[in-house]
Amino acid sequence: MNPQSEPVILTPHDLPLHCSGPTGQPWNGHPRVFLPIESNSSIECPYCGTVYQLDGEIKGHH
């Protein structure tokens, strides 16, 4: 299930990355899950299929 066709674009400033469901409303989403994204890569949420793409280099540890 992929709720959207375009990935959600993030920058290192947006980290740490977490997903609570495609609507962002806790009452009807899924549990908040933190996703381990790497520099200039993408990751798919295992619960809802939302794809996140990180544009940029991660400095330090997140």
Side-chain angles (χ1 to χ4, degrees), residues 20-46:
S20 297
T23 63
Q25 297 178 14
W27 62 271
N28 68 352
H30 58 65
R32 179 186 285 188
V33 58
F34 285 86
L35 302 172
I37 196 163
E38 297 182 16
S39 297
N40 297 305
S41 68
S42 62
I43 192 167
E44 182 177 336
C45 175

